[in-house]
Amino acid sequence: MSQSDDQLLKRLLAMFEVEAEEHLSAIAAGLLALEQSPPRERAQELVETTFREVHTLKGAARAVNLGAVVAVCHAMESVFAALKGGRLALAPGGMDLLHQGYARVRGLLDGSVVAGPDQDALVSALEAYAEGREPVAKAAVPPEPAARANPPVPPPVEEGAPANTPSADTPADAPRVGSRPTLRIATSKVDTLLRHAEELVSARLAAGRQVADLGGLASEVAERVRSHERARRRLEEAEDSPAARLLKQQGDTLRWLSGRIAQLANAGRQDLRILGKMLDSLLDEAKQVLMVPVSALLDPMAPLVRDLARAEGREVELIIRGGDLEIDRRIQEEMKDALLHLVRNAIAHGIEPPEAREAKGKAPRGTLAITVAQTEAGRAEIAIADDGGGFDVTRLRHAAAEQGLMSAAAAAALDDDEARALAFRSGLSTSGLLTDVSGRGLGLPIVQEKVERLGGGLAVESTVGLGTVFRIRLPVTLASFRGVLVEVEGACFILPTGGVERVARVALGAIATVENRETVVLDGRTLGLVRLADVLGLAPTRGNQAPPSHYTVAVLSRGGQATAFIVDRVRDEQEVLMKSLGPQLARAPYVTGASVLATGEVALILNIPDLLAGAAQAPATARPMVAVSRKKSILIAEDSITARTLFKNLLEAAGYQVRTAVDGVDAWGALTGGEEFDLLVSDVEMPRMGGFELTAKVRGAPKLAELPVVLITSLGSREDKERGIDAGANAYLVKDSFDQGNLLQIVSHLV
């Protein structure tokens, strides 16, 4: 099994452990309820519910290769299928067998029993009972210890909550339960609540704009009152006439109106301050729910470092500091791959083999330290330091020239800092050997892109012979950020403030042409000058006009590279809440998200690294923003989280965009909710709506009738297959003979 497969199996086992506990609790409750001789309709309902729990547990166990659990669950399924079909009546002996099956599965999962002849006897007894034979009085199954028969389910520990200190007689590996009562809910629901709370930021901005407009109106009316008073006085001085009295009445009305508007404006400002405080408090509390100690991200690095070091012939000691600092779970998930790349880089390129270290007077065992610390309010730094050989700037210069990134003369002219920056160029590698760990030159560019997409920064410090330190600076939580609003060809775009070095006005005469490229000198530096509209591929909207006397430019910078972009106007700098563009535009060129402004207009948030890379090609090869190739999208409907994750990882690894649904009802909502899918993969037996019914509904919907459908199930009889084909499925796979290559081949053929 490859390392990636092994890591996937570990993640699936962790998910399965939680899922299995839920199913076992439901099965135990169902069996106990059936023993109470409920009414016929209630008994049928309990049989159906417990049958589904056993079926889902079996599918999840199969996904993580637990064959012994699958065998017992399959035999129990046979009994429930016979009960459901009316071919079998529930007898006391049969109930004993089902309870023994439940106890056996629990024992297999918690390690108190192992598969053996006694299990084969239990499976045979269950299958015989399902076929209508009288159950034996007691199957040859050793009784499970009372402490294990139905252990209490510990309440889930709240993420980030302090755990109780174990007592002296508590086993070292016993689960520690948080001291506070907790409620277990899906993280997706927490994400949704936080997203709704963050959306209130836009409402606050809109309210602020309306209050400002109201304040402006109050000032305007007050000025009109003053003008009216001056006119009335002049008329009264000239004569006492009906016109003068009319002006006085109008003045009284205007004064009342001015006072009333001023009151409303003041009340609006007061309400806005209160709303702002409440919203800030709400966001802070909502974000804290997703704050988890960073140890959850760093602790699994230990076995990974050990395996990588062995593969590379290194001896490495891993030191982790600051693991108790809490960082948003979503940021940690995004940073997993980035940290993995840096760890691989340190082991493959940094820390030397033991014999080489000893020759340099170093200890044979290298040190890799990962330190997390809070640098300022709302930001943290992750430092990955090794005591290896440091950056070999000479090899970097040579590799850049050898791989055609620049001429040999230009590479030789680079100083050490500029040479180290070459390591972040995609495709450049100093490794002469391509391995599973290194050699493609993609690791550091991926790290930099990940960090910058999270609103952070990446810096590197290196000393030849002493080691290298990568410093990742990140926000501790995903939230709104500051952005510069610019207008280009009538559209509004947002540039993240962190990437905007400065804005300036440039005289037309200050623009020079060097090697057929426009340049401008700002702060003593010569910068390339491009039009943002050309980079984005926007067509001119104002026709042919004479060039203005001055241009407005925004200087964007990243990793020492800076370019001046011409924009029509810099509108404002404000707090921005980023929204995803959805799966169809998951990687749109130059765009990282969108935001709804206080005016109600939608503004795209631009990606600084993409713009700088595209500036070198504009205008000849400017890419239109609409030219986005969409990945094939697949919807998976599966009630087992373990099987669902297995299918999702398998298809995503093959390059597909995958969305999951927990049952047929959830899948139908996704299919009819406006999203586009190229294929539906569905389990057959699911709660609320099964695969057969879902397939029939898809075939009956005009817009979905041509959507390919693949059914994956443990029901392998000829009748079941015919029913699937009759419902309209394009393919029918049986889990007992499931093959990943077969699924990928069918998916590739259908999409």
Side-chain angles (χ1 to χ4, degrees):
M1 179 181 290
S2 69
Q3 184 176 350
S4 60
D5 289 340
D6 185 52
Q7 293 297 323
L8 173 59
L9 182 58
K10 288 179 180 178
R11 292 197 301 271
L12 291 174
L13 283 169
M15 295 179 187
F16 173 77
E17 191 174 324
V18 177
E19 181 182 5
E21 188 60 56
E22 294 177 352
H23 293 311
L24 284 171
S25 298
I27 293 169
L31 293 177
L32 289 174
L34 283 171
E35 274 193 319
Q36 305 303 316
S37 301
R40 187 170 182 274
E41 291 185 0
R42 174 58 179 161
Q44 290 177 340
E45 180 183 341
L46 288 170
V47 167
E48 174 71 20
T49 302
T50 313
F51 185 11
R52 289 187 181 278
E53 295 290 341
V54 174
H55 169 75
T56 304
L57 178 59
K58 184 185 80 169
R62 180 181 286 109
V64 290
N65 302 325
L66 297 180
V69 175
V70 172
V72 178
C73 288
H74 184 73
M76 294 177 68
E77 262 191 323
S78 300
V79 174
F80 280 109
L83 292 171
K84 179 181 176 182
R87 302 186 301 274
L88 185 68
L90 192 58
M95 282 301 307
D96 289 342
L97 284 176
L98 289 173
H99 275 291
Q100 291 172 38
Y102 159 79
R104 167 63 60 170
V105 171
R106 181 174 283 282
L108 289 169
L109 293 179
D110 65 21
S112 61
V113 298
V114 295
D118 53 348
Q119 176 166 312
D120 295 337
L122 173 61
V123 170
S124 298
L126 285 166
E127 291 176 344
Y129 177 51
E131 293 172 359
R133 284 177 269 171
E134 287 295 323
V136 294
K138 184 76 172 177
V141 180
E144 199 173 16
R148 294 279 192 178
N150 193 9
V153 181
V157 180
E158 184 177 41
E159 290 182 333
N164 292 333
T165 303
S167 60
D169 57 350
T170 302
D173 58 349
R176 293 183 294 176
V177 182
S179 59
R180 295 174 292 177
T182 60
L183 174 65
R184 180 181 174 190
I185 59 174
T187 54
S188 59
K189 293 183 179 180
V190 178
D191 289 339
T192 300
L193 290 175
L194 179 57
R195 186 168 63 252
H196 290 334
E198 289 177 335
E199 284 173 351
L200 292 175
V201 173
S202 297
R204 181 176 65 180
L205 292 173
R209 183 183 180 89
Q210 292 171 0
V211 168
D213 290 344
L214 193 58
L217 178 60
S219 299
E220 182 180 343
V221 173
E223 179 58 34
R224 294 195 177 212
V225 168
R226 288 190 289 270
S227 298
H228 189 277
E229 283 294 314
R230 289 193 294 269
R232 183 181 64 81
R233 290 195 192 98
R234 288 195 298 269
L235 189 58
E236 286 181 343
E237 290 173 358
E239 58 177 325
D240 183 12
S241 64
R245 290 191 293 272
L246 178 60
L247 280 176
K248 184 178 183 304
Q249 293 174 356
Q250 292 175 343
D252 294 340
T253 302
L254 281 174
R255 278 192 297 274
W256 173 84
L257 181 61
S258 174
R260 183 57 180 155
I261 294 176
Q263 288 177 355
L264 291 175
N266 290 332
R269 283 189 284 268
Q270 180 66 22
D271 290 344
L272 187 61
R273 282 193 293 270
I274 296 174
L275 174 63
K277 290 180 180 179
M278 293 175 63
L279 179 56
D280 290 341
S281 176
L282 174 62
L283 284 173
D284 288 341
E285 293 295 331
K287 291 167 191 171
Q288 288 303 316
V289 176
L290 292 172
M291 300 297 283
V292 210
V294 75
S295 58
L297 173 64
L298 300 182
D299 288 347
M301 289 288 175
L304 176 65
V305 168
R306 183 182 64 250
D307 293 343
L308 288 174
R310 288 178 179 174
E312 291 292 306
R314 268 69 163 172
E315 294 182 9
V316 181
E317 178 185 5
L318 176 64
I319 300 173
I320 296 176
R321 306 185 185 95
D324 55 345
L325 181 67
E326 292 186 341
I327 295 180
D328 193 310
R329 177 185 58 81
R330 298 168 295 177
I331 292 180
Q332 294 192 41
E333 289 177 352
E334 288 291 327
M335 285 304 301
K336 279 182 183 177
D337 290 340
L339 286 177
L340 175 60
H341 283 303
L342 291 179
V343 168
R344 283 176 171 170
N345 187 77
I347 295 174
H349 297 292
I351 298 175
E352 310 94 334
E355 58 274 11
R357 293 178 62 86
E358 289 180 328
K360 295 178 180 179
K362 296 182 178 181
R365 176 183 290 268
T367 300
L368 177 62
I370 304 178
T371 305
V372 187
Q374 188 156 357
T375 57
E376 56 186 282
R379 298 191 74 81
E381 179 184 89
I382 303 176
I384 300 93
D386 66 74
D387 63 348
F391 270 57
D392 189 336
V393 293
T394 302
R395 291 182 64 188
L396 281 169
R397 293 187 184 100
H398 178 72
E402 189 177 61
Q403 297 172 30
L405 295 179
M406 59 180 60
S407 65
L414 297 175
D415 61 29
D416 287 352
D417 288 338
E418 292 171 334
R420 277 191 287 269
L422 291 173
F424 297 95
R425 299 281 291 273
S426 180
L428 187 141
S429 175
T430 59
S431 175
L433 179 65
L434 179 63
T435 70
D436 291 338
V437 178
S438 64
R440 299 187 183 276
L442 299 176
L444 292 181
I446 289 174
V447 172
Q448 188 170 47
E449 180 179 357
K450 284 271 188 185
V451 171
E452 289 177 347
R453 283 186 177 276
L454 289 170
L458 175 64
V460 59
E461 304 165 6
S462 184
T463 303
V464 176
L466 297 180
T468 302
V469 181
F470 287 93
R471 299 188 184 278
I472 301 174
R473 296 177 179 87
L474 291 166
V476 296
T477 182
L478 289 178
S480 54
F481 63 94
R482 301 293 295 179
V484 178
L485 276 61
V486 298
E487 289 185 5
V488 180
E489 298 297 345
C492 183
F493 297 93
I494 299 173
L495 301 170
T497 299
V500 181
E501 189 175 298
R502 62 169 295 186
V503 295
R505 282 172 58 82
V506 176
L508 182 61
I511 299 175
T513 302
V514 179
E515 296 182 353
N516 295 322
R517 305 291 295 183
E518 290 183 321
T519 62
V520 64
V521 178
L522 289 173
D523 299 327
R525 292 185 302 166
T526 300
L527 302 176
L529 182 68
V530 296
R531 289 159 179 78
L532 184 56
D534 291 340
V535 177
L536 298 178
L538 301 180
T541 59
R542 292 171 294 181
N544 295 325
Q545 294 182 349
S549 60
H550 288 78
Y551 285 114
T552 301
V553 300
V555 180
L556 309 184
S557 63
R558 169 186 182 257
Q561 178 187 1
T563 302
F565 289 79
I566 296 176
V567 299
D568 295 341
R569 183 167 74 97
V570 176
R571 184 189 294 183
D572 192 11
E573 181 187 5
Q574 68 177 46
E575 192 176 21
V576 175
L577 182 64
M578 184 171 71
K579 295 296 181 183
S580 169
L581 296 176
Q584 291 80 4
L585 297 173
R587 191 60 183 91
Y590 308 113
V591 179
T592 189
S595 182
V596 180
L597 304 180
T599 58
E601 60 184 312
V602 176
L604 294 177
I605 301 170
L606 300 182
N607 182 285
I608 302 294
D610 281 2
L611 292 177
L612 291 170
Q617 302 176 349
T621 57
R623 295 172 289 174
M625 294 177 57
V626 295
V628 181
S629 58
R630 184 177 71 88
K631 285 184 178 181
K632 296 294 185 181
S633 181
I634 298 176
L635 176 63
I636 297 175
E638 168 65 66
D639 58 331
S640 165
I641 185 175
T642 310
R644 197 162 63 234
T645 305
L646 173 64
F647 297 149
K648 183 175 186 291
N649 279 274
L650 174 64
L651 293 171
E652 284 183 338
Y656 298 103
Q657 184 80 30
V658 180
R659 174 168 172 186
T660 59
V662 299
D663 57 25
V665 173
D666 190 20
W668 181 249
L671 290 168
T672 57
E675 295 185 57
E676 293 184 9
F677 296 99
D678 300 290
L679 178 73
L680 169 63
V681 177
S682 175
D683 187 16
V684 168
E685 293 191 307
M686 296 181 291
R688 298 199 295 175
M689 183 191 297
F692 291 143
E693 185 181 354
L694 176 60
T695 304
K697 288 178 71 69
V698 167
R699 291 292 172 254
K703 293 184 179 180
L704 301 172
E706 301 301 321
L707 179 68
V709 178
V710 177
L711 294 178
I712 302 181
T713 180
S714 58
L715 302 178
S717 68
R718 180 176 60 84
E719 293 80 4
D720 291 319
K721 294 179 181 179
E722 290 178 352
R723 185 182 174 191
I725 300 303
D726 291 341
N730 299 85
Y732 193 99
L733 298 179
V734 180
K735 290 181 179 178
D736 288 339
S737 58
F738 176 73
D739 178 76
Q740 296 182 1
N742 190 21
L743 173 62
L744 292 177
Q745 183 179 4
I746 290 174
V747 170
S748 175
H749 174 71
L750 292 176
V751 301

